[in-house]
Amino acid sequence: MKRIVLVAVLAALSLAAVSCGPSAYTMRMDTRYPSASGIDFAGKSISVVFLDNGRDSLFSCTVADLLASKMEEDYFGGEPEIGIYRLPEVSGSDYSSRDTLSSLIMELDTDVVILLDSPLYREPSDAESAVVVCRAYAYDSMGADSVKVVQGRLLSSETDAEGASAVADALGEYYSGNWRTESFTLLYYYPGSRWTDALEYAEKMQWDKAIEKWLKLTETDNNIVRSCAEYNLALGCLVSGQPQLALEWLDLSDKDGKVNLSSGLRTRILQRLGK
């Protein structure tokens, strides 16, 4: 999550008309949305598999390695978190099928698998030059139950390191997250060191530490205070790439005492879940 600018706004909420009630803290930040492929890779484990047909293994392995590196920069802060695997190609197999990819999900124990097919050579014709078609199949076990297919074309003379880099760049762009600058509003009580500590962590985009603080703040018999902490947990889970968990926390918040910011946050969560 990239931070752009932070704006603090103090405003009394309609749920409390007294000075000891909650206040609002509004932040503007870049929020990651699903990639052009339709898959939201944030917070998920990923494996990249390339087919080895005995002829183009170096090219395919290079594409897989470059693609994994690009996605690690985008989703894991450059840390080596994506496994790369070689799969011997078996003639007649359908590697774009859901069954094939879901089997790889089970075998590799990851949330998402991207399978790079062997390059397909097409001979030149009167209408066009010789080309190489490179296809990739992606399956998200936590998302829509479908395979996302992307296809690119290269000149046959580019099936080398330069061509591999071009394919990886195109796939990396296709799988990279889309960023939008949005405003989000957190709730807090003042004075209250645990509330302000959580806000400071949120400022620094350390959402895991902010969430720890809000979890502690739910340990109260005051329904309204607990509802505010649960609302913050919902927002923290959303910006951390866990929309389903965010929805569960928001349901708890509404049950304890719906805050007037709840409907807007629910709309954002449902949009992220594709509902």
Short mmCIF file of all heavy atoms in Angstrom, two decimals, residues 118-162:
data_model
loop_
_atom_site.label_atom_id
_atom_site.label_comp_id
_atom_site.label_asym_id
_atom_site.label_seq_id
_atom_site.Cartn_x
_atom_site.Cartn_y
_atom_site.Cartn_z
N SER A 118 3.74 -23.67 -23.39
CA SER A 118 4.88 -23.67 -24.31
C SER A 118 4.59 -22.75 -25.48
O SER A 118 3.44 -22.63 -25.93
CB SER A 118 5.14 -25.09 -24.83
OG SER A 118 5.52 -25.95 -23.78
N PRO A 119 5.61 -22.06 -26.00
CA PRO A 119 5.39 -21.17 -27.14
C PRO A 119 4.84 -21.94 -28.34
O PRO A 119 5.22 -23.09 -28.59
CB PRO A 119 6.79 -20.62 -27.44
CG PRO A 119 7.56 -20.81 -26.18
CD PRO A 119 7.01 -22.05 -25.55
N LEU A 120 3.91 -21.32 -29.05
CA LEU A 120 3.30 -21.94 -30.22
C LEU A 120 3.79 -21.20 -31.46
O LEU A 120 3.54 -20.00 -31.63
CB LEU A 120 1.77 -21.86 -30.13
CG LEU A 120 0.98 -22.39 -31.32
CD1 LEU A 120 1.24 -23.89 -31.51
CD2 LEU A 120 -0.50 -22.12 -31.14
N TYR A 121 4.50 -21.91 -32.33
CA TYR A 121 5.08 -21.30 -33.53
C TYR A 121 4.09 -21.36 -34.69
O TYR A 121 3.47 -22.40 -34.93
CB TYR A 121 6.37 -22.01 -33.92
CG TYR A 121 7.48 -21.85 -32.91
CD1 TYR A 121 7.58 -22.72 -31.83
CD2 TYR A 121 8.41 -20.82 -33.03
CE1 TYR A 121 8.58 -22.56 -30.88
CE2 TYR A 121 9.41 -20.66 -32.09
CZ TYR A 121 9.49 -21.54 -31.02
OH TYR A 121 10.48 -21.38 -30.08
N ARG A 122 3.96 -20.24 -35.38
CA ARG A 122 3.10 -20.19 -36.56
C ARG A 122 3.94 -19.76 -37.75
O ARG A 122 4.63 -18.73 -37.70
CB ARG A 122 1.94 -19.22 -36.34
CG ARG A 122 0.93 -19.71 -35.32
CD ARG A 122 -0.23 -18.76 -35.15
NE ARG A 122 -1.20 -19.26 -34.19
CZ ARG A 122 -2.23 -18.58 -33.73
NH1 ARG A 122 -2.41 -17.33 -34.15
NH2 ARG A 122 -3.06 -19.11 -32.86
N GLU A 123 3.88 -20.54 -38.79
CA GLU A 123 4.69 -20.27 -39.98
C GLU A 123 4.20 -19.01 -40.69
O GLU A 123 3.02 -18.65 -40.62
CB GLU A 123 4.62 -21.46 -40.94
CG GLU A 123 5.24 -22.74 -40.38
CD GLU A 123 6.72 -22.55 -40.08
OE1 GLU A 123 7.38 -21.81 -40.83
OE2 GLU A 123 7.19 -23.13 -39.09
N PRO A 124 5.11 -18.31 -41.36
CA PRO A 124 4.72 -17.08 -42.07
C PRO A 124 3.78 -17.39 -43.24
O PRO A 124 3.80 -18.48 -43.81
CB PRO A 124 6.05 -16.52 -42.56
CG PRO A 124 6.95 -17.71 -42.66
CD PRO A 124 6.53 -18.61 -41.52
N SER A 125 2.94 -16.44 -43.54
CA SER A 125 2.04 -16.55 -44.68
C SER A 125 2.19 -15.28 -45.51
O SER A 125 2.97 -14.40 -45.18
CB SER A 125 0.59 -16.71 -44.21
OG SER A 125 0.17 -15.53 -43.53
N ASP A 126 1.42 -15.20 -46.59
CA ASP A 126 1.49 -14.00 -47.42
C ASP A 126 1.00 -12.77 -46.65
O ASP A 126 1.41 -11.65 -46.93
CB ASP A 126 0.63 -14.18 -48.67
CG ASP A 126 1.20 -15.27 -49.58
OD1 ASP A 126 2.41 -15.53 -49.47
OD2 ASP A 126 0.43 -15.84 -50.37
N ALA A 127 0.13 -13.00 -45.65
CA ALA A 127 -0.48 -11.88 -44.94
C ALA A 127 0.35 -11.38 -43.77
O ALA A 127 0.27 -10.22 -43.39
CB ALA A 127 -1.87 -12.28 -44.44
N GLU A 128 1.16 -12.26 -43.17
CA GLU A 128 1.90 -11.83 -41.99
C GLU A 128 3.21 -12.59 -41.87
O GLU A 128 3.44 -13.60 -42.53
CB GLU A 128 1.06 -12.05 -40.73
CG GLU A 128 0.70 -13.50 -40.48
CD GLU A 128 -0.09 -13.70 -39.19
OE1 GLU A 128 -0.55 -12.70 -38.61
OE2 GLU A 128 -0.22 -14.86 -38.77
N SER A 129 4.09 -12.07 -41.04
CA SER A 129 5.37 -12.72 -40.77
C SER A 129 5.17 -13.87 -39.80
O SER A 129 4.11 -14.03 -39.18
CB SER A 129 6.36 -11.70 -40.20
OG SER A 129 6.53 -10.61 -41.07
N ALA A 130 6.23 -14.65 -39.63
CA ALA A 130 6.20 -15.73 -38.66
C ALA A 130 6.04 -15.14 -37.26
O ALA A 130 6.61 -14.10 -36.95
CB ALA A 130 7.48 -16.55 -38.74
N VAL A 131 5.23 -15.77 -36.43
CA VAL A 131 5.00 -15.29 -35.07
C VAL A 131 5.09 -16.44 -34.09
O VAL A 131 4.99 -17.62 -34.47
CB VAL A 131 3.62 -14.61 -34.92
CG1 VAL A 131 3.52 -13.37 -35.79
CG2 VAL A 131 2.51 -15.60 -35.23
N VAL A 132 5.29 -16.07 -32.84
CA VAL A 132 5.24 -17.02 -31.74
C VAL A 132 4.15 -16.56 -30.80
O VAL A 132 4.14 -15.40 -30.38
CB VAL A 132 6.59 -17.10 -30.99
CG1 VAL A 132 6.47 -18.04 -29.81
CG2 VAL A 132 7.69 -17.56 -31.94
N VAL A 133 3.22 -17.45 -30.49
CA VAL A 133 2.12 -17.13 -29.59
C VAL A 133 2.47 -17.66 -28.20
O VAL A 133 2.80 -18.83 -28.03
CB VAL A 133 0.80 -17.74 -30.07
CG1 VAL A 133 -0.32 -17.45 -29.07
CG2 VAL A 133 0.45 -17.21 -31.45
N CYS A 134 2.42 -16.78 -27.21
CA CYS A 134 2.70 -17.15 -25.82
C CYS A 134 1.43 -16.99 -25.01
O CYS A 134 0.85 -15.90 -24.98
CB CYS A 134 3.80 -16.27 -25.25
SG CYS A 134 5.37 -16.34 -26.15
N ARG A 135 1.00 -18.06 -24.35
CA ARG A 135 -0.23 -18.04 -23.58
C ARG A 135 0.03 -18.33 -22.10
O ARG A 135 0.93 -19.10 -21.77
CB ARG A 135 -1.23 -19.05 -24.14
CG ARG A 135 -1.76 -18.69 -25.52
CD ARG A 135 -2.57 -19.80 -26.12
NE ARG A 135 -1.73 -20.97 -26.40
CZ ARG A 135 -2.15 -22.07 -27.02
NH1 ARG A 135 -3.40 -22.15 -27.42
NH2 ARG A 135 -1.33 -23.07 -27.24
N ALA A 136 -0.78 -17.70 -21.26
CA ALA A 136 -0.68 -17.94 -19.82
C ALA A 136 -2.08 -18.14 -19.27
O ALA A 136 -3.04 -17.48 -19.70
CB ALA A 136 -0.01 -16.75 -19.12
N TYR A 137 -2.20 -19.07 -18.31
CA TYR A 137 -3.48 -19.38 -17.69
C TYR A 137 -3.36 -19.13 -16.19
O TYR A 137 -2.43 -19.63 -15.55
CB TYR A 137 -3.87 -20.84 -17.95
CG TYR A 137 -3.60 -21.30 -19.36
CD1 TYR A 137 -2.72 -22.36 -19.61
CD2 TYR A 137 -4.20 -20.68 -20.45
CE1 TYR A 137 -2.46 -22.80 -20.89
CE2 TYR A 137 -3.94 -21.09 -21.75
CZ TYR A 137 -3.06 -22.15 -21.97
OH TYR A 137 -2.80 -22.57 -23.25
N ALA A 138 -4.29 -18.37 -15.63
CA ALA A 138 -4.25 -18.06 -14.20
C ALA A 138 -5.54 -18.53 -13.55
O ALA A 138 -6.64 -18.36 -14.11
CB ALA A 138 -4.06 -16.56 -13.98
N TYR A 139 -5.39 -19.11 -12.36
CA TYR A 139 -6.56 -19.59 -11.61
C TYR A 139 -6.42 -19.18 -10.17
O TYR A 139 -5.40 -19.42 -9.52
CB TYR A 139 -6.67 -21.11 -11.73
CG TYR A 139 -7.86 -21.69 -10.99
CD1 TYR A 139 -9.15 -21.50 -11.48
CD2 TYR A 139 -7.69 -22.42 -9.82
CE1 TYR A 139 -10.25 -22.02 -10.81
CE2 TYR A 139 -8.78 -22.95 -9.14
CZ TYR A 139 -10.06 -22.74 -9.65
OH TYR A 139 -11.14 -23.26 -8.98
N ASP A 140 -7.46 -18.52 -9.66
CA ASP A 140 -7.49 -18.04 -8.27
C ASP A 140 -8.47 -18.91 -7.49
O ASP A 140 -9.69 -18.83 -7.70
CB ASP A 140 -7.93 -16.57 -8.26
CG ASP A 140 -8.05 -16.01 -6.85
OD1 ASP A 140 -7.61 -16.69 -5.90
OD2 ASP A 140 -8.56 -14.89 -6.70
N SER A 141 -7.96 -19.71 -6.58
CA SER A 141 -8.82 -20.62 -5.82
C SER A 141 -9.71 -19.88 -4.85
O SER A 141 -10.68 -20.45 -4.34
CB SER A 141 -7.95 -21.62 -5.05
OG SER A 141 -7.14 -20.98 -4.08
N MET A 142 -9.41 -18.60 -4.59
CA MET A 142 -10.20 -17.82 -3.64
C MET A 142 -11.11 -16.81 -4.36
O MET A 142 -11.79 -16.02 -3.70
CB MET A 142 -9.26 -17.07 -2.68
CG MET A 142 -8.35 -17.98 -1.89
SD MET A 142 -7.17 -17.07 -0.88
CE MET A 142 -8.27 -16.32 0.33
N GLY A 143 -11.12 -16.84 -5.67
CA GLY A 143 -11.92 -15.90 -6.43
C GLY A 143 -12.95 -16.60 -7.30
O GLY A 143 -13.48 -17.67 -6.93
N ALA A 144 -13.25 -16.02 -8.45
CA ALA A 144 -14.20 -16.61 -9.37
C ALA A 144 -13.69 -17.97 -9.85
O ALA A 144 -12.50 -18.14 -10.09
CB ALA A 144 -14.41 -15.68 -10.57
N ASP A 145 -14.59 -18.92 -9.96
CA ASP A 145 -14.21 -20.29 -10.31
C ASP A 145 -14.03 -20.41 -11.82
O ASP A 145 -14.78 -21.12 -12.50
CB ASP A 145 -15.27 -21.26 -9.81
CG ASP A 145 -14.82 -22.71 -9.90
OD1 ASP A 145 -13.59 -22.95 -9.95
OD2 ASP A 145 -15.68 -23.60 -9.95
N SER A 146 -13.05 -19.69 -12.34
CA SER A 146 -12.80 -19.71 -13.78
C SER A 146 -11.32 -19.46 -14.06
O SER A 146 -10.61 -18.92 -13.22
CB SER A 146 -13.65 -18.64 -14.50
OG SER A 146 -13.32 -17.35 -14.02
N VAL A 147 -10.89 -19.85 -15.24
CA VAL A 147 -9.49 -19.67 -15.65
C VAL A 147 -9.38 -18.40 -16.49
O VAL A 147 -10.15 -18.19 -17.42
CB VAL A 147 -9.01 -20.88 -16.47
CG1 VAL A 147 -7.57 -20.68 -16.94
CG2 VAL A 147 -9.12 -22.16 -15.64
N LYS A 148 -8.43 -17.55 -16.14
CA LYS A 148 -8.18 -16.33 -16.89
C LYS A 148 -7.06 -16.60 -17.90
O LYS A 148 -5.95 -16.99 -17.52
CB LYS A 148 -7.77 -15.19 -15.96
CG LYS A 148 -8.74 -14.94 -14.81
CD LYS A 148 -10.09 -14.47 -15.30
CE LYS A 148 -11.00 -14.13 -14.12
NZ LYS A 148 -12.34 -13.68 -14.56
N VAL A 149 -7.34 -16.39 -19.17
CA VAL A 149 -6.38 -16.69 -20.24
C VAL A 149 -5.91 -15.39 -20.88
O VAL A 149 -6.72 -14.50 -21.17
CB VAL A 149 -7.02 -17.58 -21.32
CG1 VAL A 149 -6.00 -17.92 -22.41
CG2 VAL A 149 -7.59 -18.86 -20.70
N VAL A 150 -4.60 -15.27 -21.08
CA VAL A 150 -4.05 -14.13 -21.78
C VAL A 150 -3.08 -14.65 -22.84
O VAL A 150 -2.40 -15.66 -22.65
CB VAL A 150 -3.33 -13.16 -20.81
CG1 VAL A 150 -2.15 -13.82 -20.13
CG2 VAL A 150 -2.87 -11.91 -21.54
N GLN A 151 -3.05 -13.96 -23.97
CA GLN A 151 -2.23 -14.41 -25.10
C GLN A 151 -1.46 -13.24 -25.68
O GLN A 151 -1.99 -12.14 -25.82
CB GLN A 151 -3.14 -15.03 -26.17
CG GLN A 151 -2.44 -15.46 -27.44
CD GLN A 151 -3.37 -16.19 -28.39
OE1 GLN A 151 -3.84 -17.29 -28.10
NE2 GLN A 151 -3.67 -15.57 -29.53
N GLY A 152 -0.18 -13.48 -26.01
CA GLY A 152 0.64 -12.46 -26.64
C GLY A 152 1.33 -13.01 -27.87
O GLY A 152 1.46 -14.23 -28.03
N ARG A 153 1.76 -12.13 -28.76
CA ARG A 153 2.42 -12.53 -30.00
C ARG A 153 3.80 -11.90 -30.10
O ARG A 153 3.97 -10.74 -29.80
CB ARG A 153 1.57 -12.10 -31.22
CG ARG A 153 0.25 -12.83 -31.35
CD ARG A 153 -0.75 -12.01 -32.15
NE ARG A 153 -0.30 -11.73 -33.49
CZ ARG A 153 -0.58 -12.48 -34.56
NH1 ARG A 153 -1.32 -13.58 -34.42
NH2 ARG A 153 -0.15 -12.15 -35.74
N LEU A 154 4.77 -12.70 -30.52
CA LEU A 154 6.13 -12.23 -30.72
C LEU A 154 6.60 -12.60 -32.12
O LEU A 154 6.19 -13.63 -32.67
CB LEU A 154 7.09 -12.90 -29.72
CG LEU A 154 7.04 -12.46 -28.26
CD1 LEU A 154 7.94 -13.38 -27.44
CD2 LEU A 154 7.49 -11.02 -28.12
N LEU A 155 7.50 -11.79 -32.67
CA LEU A 155 8.18 -12.20 -33.88
C LEU A 155 9.06 -13.40 -33.55
O LEU A 155 9.64 -13.49 -32.47
CB LEU A 155 9.03 -11.06 -34.43
CG LEU A 155 8.26 -9.82 -34.91
CD1 LEU A 155 9.26 -8.75 -35.36
CD2 LEU A 155 7.32 -10.18 -36.05
N SER A 156 9.17 -14.34 -34.46
CA SER A 156 9.92 -15.56 -34.17
C SER A 156 11.37 -15.28 -33.82
O SER A 156 12.01 -16.02 -33.09
CB SER A 156 9.85 -16.51 -35.37
OG SER A 156 10.36 -15.89 -36.53
N SER A 157 11.90 -14.16 -34.32
CA SER A 157 13.30 -13.83 -34.04
C SER A 157 13.49 -13.37 -32.60
O SER A 157 14.62 -13.19 -32.16
CB SER A 157 13.77 -12.73 -34.98
OG SER A 157 12.97 -11.57 -34.83
N GLU A 158 12.40 -13.20 -31.86
CA GLU A 158 12.49 -12.68 -30.50
C GLU A 158 12.39 -13.76 -29.44
O GLU A 158 12.22 -13.46 -28.26
CB GLU A 158 11.40 -11.63 -30.27
CG GLU A 158 11.58 -10.38 -31.11
CD GLU A 158 10.47 -9.37 -30.87
OE1 GLU A 158 9.35 -9.79 -30.51
OE2 GLU A 158 10.71 -8.17 -31.06
N THR A 159 12.46 -15.01 -29.80
CA THR A 159 12.38 -16.09 -28.81
C THR A 159 13.74 -16.28 -28.14
O THR A 159 14.34 -17.34 -28.19
CB THR A 159 11.92 -17.41 -29.46
OG1 THR A 159 12.77 -17.69 -30.58
CG2 THR A 159 10.49 -17.32 -29.90
N ASP A 160 14.21 -15.22 -27.52
CA ASP A 160 15.48 -15.23 -26.80
C ASP A 160 15.27 -14.44 -25.53
O ASP A 160 14.13 -14.23 -25.09
CB ASP A 160 16.59 -14.64 -27.68
CG ASP A 160 16.19 -13.27 -28.26
OD1 ASP A 160 15.21 -12.66 -27.76
OD2 ASP A 160 16.86 -12.81 -29.20
N ALA A 161 16.35 -13.97 -24.91
CA ALA A 161 16.23 -13.23 -23.66
C ALA A 161 15.40 -11.96 -23.84
O ALA A 161 14.60 -11.60 -22.97
CB ALA A 161 17.62 -12.89 -23.13
N GLU A 162 15.58 -11.29 -24.97
CA GLU A 162 14.82 -10.07 -25.22
C GLU A 162 13.34 -10.37 -25.36
O GLU A 162 12.48 -9.66 -24.83
CB GLU A 162 15.34 -9.38 -26.48
CG GLU A 162 14.64 -8.06 -26.79
CD GLU A 162 15.19 -7.38 -28.02
OE1 GLU A 162 16.22 -7.84 -28.55
OE2 GLU A 162 14.59 -6.38 -28.45
#
